[in-house]
């Protein structure tokens, strides 16, 4: 809305400049009986400047400080260029002086618009540099969390946010949203289902009053031609935020670039119940293990339990003694030794509970 108002005011200023040029004797003598060509030329120039500005996509809207700063720079450049061009217009010639002032109006009109527009569209990336010193925007408060495609499709992020565990600003990049829309429009049924699930999760986050979700439209020049994962890393660096993902490869790439990562899989593993050697555990054996006499069961959270001596008790709820716990990148594995059958043949398909060994 602010840029629309700016463009409207710019056209009004251009019309005023055009009318002023019509009254300049120098232009009247050149254009003779058709002085309105000067007015039309200024209006065409103004429309051309706006057309170029509109042609540059991914606009950001302004703040009043951006307008002031852009106007100040534009007027300063106009004054400097006016001093430079003054040598071409003799001061003792009234017509030349008037023409010089008209030229300054045109230059000032274009420069002020371009400077204000530039500040409004790049205010989030503002850098003021002098030799050996750089003044950059400093992010205060909680760091924003940048979401990737896999974590949105996964869906657990919505449940985690609703618990109040994350109270930071969630950033959904426009290029990630475009990738998600592409998956939702895929001809493959499974991909299409996953993409639509991701869009549903985004709508769920957006409709939650407790969630601060923002769509980030802008891409910096160094993101051009980069894959989505690299764009996420560059954006997180720019915003000084963290990437929320469940993608193992993105996790490694981000850490190589010193970008903090929140991996929901690692959080899920950290929240799983801890079993120590010597504790007793009840689990249902569902299949044979790789080794002879081994049986395999699972807890409700998916943790695999390998039971020595459990092969003969498939589809039975058994009591085991935990002998060791192995933590891997894929999750946690528990090894135990069969002690006794606890349930009947028609028990539940998974789950378990633990108790400490008697001493």
């Amino acid at each position: 809305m602010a840029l629309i108002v700016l463009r409207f005011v710019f056209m009004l200023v251009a019309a005023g400049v055009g009318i002023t040029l019509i009254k300049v004797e120098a232009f009247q003598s050149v254009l003779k009986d058709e002085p309105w060509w000067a007015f039309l030329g200024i209006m065409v120039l103004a429309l051309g400047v706006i057309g170029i500005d509109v042609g540059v996509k991914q606009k950001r809207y302004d703040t009043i400080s951006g307008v002031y700063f852009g106007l100040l720079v534009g007027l300063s450049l106009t004054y400097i260029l006016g001093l430079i061009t003054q040598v071409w217009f003799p001061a003792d010639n009234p017509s030349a002086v008037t023409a010089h002032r008209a030229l300054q109006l045109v230059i000032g009109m274009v420069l002020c618009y371009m400077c204000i527009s530039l500040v409004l569209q790049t205010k989030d990336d503002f850098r003021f540099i002098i030799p050996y010193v750089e003044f950059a925007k400093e992010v205060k408060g909680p760091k924003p969390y940048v979401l990737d495609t896999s974590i949105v499709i996964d869906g657990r992020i919505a449940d985690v946010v609703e618990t109040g565990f994350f109270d930071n600003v969630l950033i959904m990049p426009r290029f990630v949203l475009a990738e998600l829309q592409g998956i939702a429009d895929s001809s493959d049924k499974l991909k299409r289902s996953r993409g639509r699930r991701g869009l549903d999760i985004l709508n769920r986050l957006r409709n939650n009053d407790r969630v601060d979700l923002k769509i980030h439209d802008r891409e910096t020049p160094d993101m051009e031609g980069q894959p989505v994962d690299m764009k996420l890393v560059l954006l997180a660096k720019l915003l000084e935020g963290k990437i929320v993902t469940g993608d193992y490869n993105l996790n490694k790439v981000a850490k190589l670039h010193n970008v903090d990562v929140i991996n929901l899989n690692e959080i899920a593993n950290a929240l799983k119940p801890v079993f120590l050697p010597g504790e007793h555990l009840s689990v249902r054996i569902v299949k044979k293990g790789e080794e002879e006499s081994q049986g395999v069961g699972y807890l409700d959270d998916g943790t695999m339990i390998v039971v020595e001596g459990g092969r003969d008790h498939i589809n039975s709820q058994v009591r085991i003694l935990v002998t060791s716990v192995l933590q891997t990148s894929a999750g946690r594995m528990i090894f135990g030794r069969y002690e006794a059958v606890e349930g009947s043949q028609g028990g539940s398909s998974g789950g378990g509970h633990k108790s400490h060994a008697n001493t």
Side-chain angles (χ1 to χ4, degrees):
M1 182 62 188
L3 285 178
I4 295 175
V5 173
L6 171 64
R7 289 162 186 158
F8 178 74
V9 173
F10 177 67
M11 292 302 298
L12 292 179
V13 172
V17 172
I19 294 173
T20 302
L21 290 181
I22 292 176
K23 299 179 180 179
V24 176
E25 294 181 3
F27 285 98
Q28 289 179 351
S29 62
V30 173
L31 298 173
K32 296 181 180 180
D33 296 332
E34 298 178 343
W36 289 101
W37 281 109
F39 177 81
L40 292 176
I42 293 299
M43 297 305 293
V44 170
L45 175 62
L47 288 174
V49 172
I50 292 178
I52 294 173
D53 181 50
V54 172
V56 180
K57 303 299 182 182
Q58 300 175 343
K59 292 293 188 294
R60 297 290 301 273
Y61 290 104
D62 65 318
T63 61
I64 191 63
S65 59
V67 175
Y68 287 154
F69 184 77
L71 189 61
L72 175 63
V73 174
L75 291 176
S76 299
L77 292 176
T78 301
Y79 176 73
I80 294 172
L81 291 177
L83 293 178
I84 296 174
T85 57
Q86 191 173 13
V87 298
W88 299 331
F89 299 87
D92 55 353
N93 187 338
S95 298
V97 172
T98 305
H100 180 249
R101 290 176 179 173
L103 178 62
Q104 279 188 302
L105 284 175
V106 176
I107 294 175
M109 176 186 71
V110 174
L111 285 178
C112 287
Y113 174 81
M114 295 305 297
C115 289
I116 293 174
S117 179
L118 179 65
V119 171
L120 295 181
Q121 297 174 61
T122 61
K123 64 182 184 299
D124 291 337
D125 307 322
F126 176 75
R127 296 289 188 276
F128 179 69
I129 303 175
I130 60 177
Y132 306 108
V133 180
E134 177 181 6
F135 299 93
K137 180 181 67 175
E138 181 179 355
V139 177
K140 296 183 178 180
K143 293 184 177 181
Y145 290 164
V146 183
L147 306 180
D148 87 322
T149 311
S150 65
I151 207 64
V152 177
I153 293 176
D154 178 279
R156 289 179 295 176
I157 183 66
D159 297 326
V160 174
V161 170
E162 287 175 355
T163 64
F165 185 72
F166 289 166
D167 55 0
N168 303 51
V169 176
L170 300 181
I171 303 295
M172 169 53 60
R174 178 67 65 181
F175 54 83
V176 171
L177 184 58
E179 183 183 40
L180 198 59
Q181 290 172 335
I183 296 174
D185 295 334
S186 173
S187 58
D188 183 89
K189 184 177 180 180
L190 179 59
K191 286 186 177 180
R192 186 167 62 250
S193 176
R194 287 165 55 84
R196 290 177 179 176
R197 170 180 168 80
L199 294 176
D200 290 340
I201 292 297
L202 282 181
N203 287 326
R204 179 178 165 188
L205 290 172
R206 196 154 199 170
N207 294 330
N208 191 336
D209 295 335
R210 297 173 57 189
V211 179
D212 188 4
L213 177 67
K214 294 182 179 180
I215 305 297
H216 188 86
D217 292 317
R218 185 169 179 78
E219 289 188 27
T220 55
D222 54 348
M223 294 182 187
E224 288 292 333
Q226 297 285 357
V228 173
D229 285 359
M230 196 62 208
K231 286 183 179 180
L232 281 167
V233 172
L234 294 174
L235 180 60
K237 271 190 171 183
L238 177 66
L239 301 178
E240 299 183 17
K242 299 180 180 180
I243 297 177
V244 183
T245 183
D247 189 329
Y248 179 80
N249 293 327
L250 177 57
N251 193 356
K252 293 298 183 182
V253 171
K255 288 181 178 180
L256 286 175
H257 289 82
N258 296 319
V259 174
D260 293 332
V261 177
I262 297 177
N263 192 320
L264 283 194
N265 293 330
E266 293 179 354
I267 293 178
N269 287 332
L271 294 178
K272 288 181 179 179
V274 177
F275 297 94
L276 300 177
E279 292 182 339
H280 287 111
L281 176 65
S282 177
V283 65
R284 183 177 179 80
I285 307 297
V286 295
K287 64 179 182 179
K288 299 177 181 180
E290 293 184 359
E291 302 294 334
E292 186 179 356
S293 80
Q294 283 185 348
V296 176
Y298 296 92
L299 297 181
D300 291 334
D301 59 15
T303 301
M304 185 170 74
I305 302 178
V306 179
V307 181
E308 192 69 31
R311 175 168 294 202
D312 297 333
H313 304 283
I314 294 177
N315 294 326
S316 298
Q317 193 80 13
V318 300
R319 185 170 183 261
I320 68 169
L321 177 68
V322 177
T323 56
S324 63
V325 179
L326 177 63
Q327 181 67 51
T328 67
S329 58
R332 182 180 295 137
M333 291 180 59
I334 299 175
F335 295 87
R337 186 173 62 248
Y338 165 79
E339 288 194 338
V341 175
E342 282 197 346
S344 63
Q345 297 293 322
S348 61
S349 59
H353 62 273
K354 67 177 182 179
S355 61
H356 293 285
N358 297 327
T359 57

